[in-house]
Amino acid sequence: MSIPASPDLAQRQRHWRLNRLLVLGLLVGWLVVTFLVSYHARALSFRFFGWPFSFWMAAQGALLVYLLLVILYARSMNWLDQDCHLAEDD
């Protein structure tokens, strides 16, 4: 005999599932920026802001993308916490 899930438990399970999907998506973005761009650096030999794209990406672009990933995660989690009624008062 199974116990029916309470609405609170269902919300928490939904929150956890969406959190894992978000983390997976952000990790894929991190993987692409970190390894895929570096692996194909010689093929990416066009100019970007006056620098070769591979150099710019290694020096500044990857850091900017990492910062954007962190901001995206924080904003998404705030939205998800409020949507699932799990937001904490600050």
Side-chain angles (χ1 to χ4, degrees), residues 26-41 44 54 57-58 61-63 65-66 69:
L26 294 175
L27 282 175
V28 169
W30 169 83
L31 181 75
V32 167
V33 169
T34 302
F35 293 109
L36 204 60
V37 172
S38 299
Y39 186 76
H40 295 287
L44 301 171
S54 58
M57 193 66 187
L63 297 177
V65 172
Y66 298 153
L69 291 176

Side-chain angles (χ1 to χ4, degrees), residues 1-22:
M1 179 174 161
S2 65
I3 300 172
S6 68
D8 186 47
L9 180 62
Q11 284 287 67
R12 289 182 182 275
Q13 288 175 340
R14 178 176 171 265
H15 182 271
W16 183 239
R17 186 180 64 247
L18 292 174
N19 184 18
R20 286 184 297 175
L21 284 174
L22 176 64

Side-chain angles (χ1 to χ4, degrees), residues 1 3-4 8 11 28 33 36 41-43 46 53 59 61 63-64 68-70 73 75 83-84 90:
M1 179 174 161
I3 300 172
D8 186 47
Q11 284 287 67
V28 169
V33 169
L36 204 60
R42 289 183 189 247
F46 58 90
F53 181 72
L63 297 177
L64 292 175
L68 290 176
L69 291 176
V70 169
Y73 179 75
R75 289 183 178 251
D83 189 54
C84 291
D90 290 334

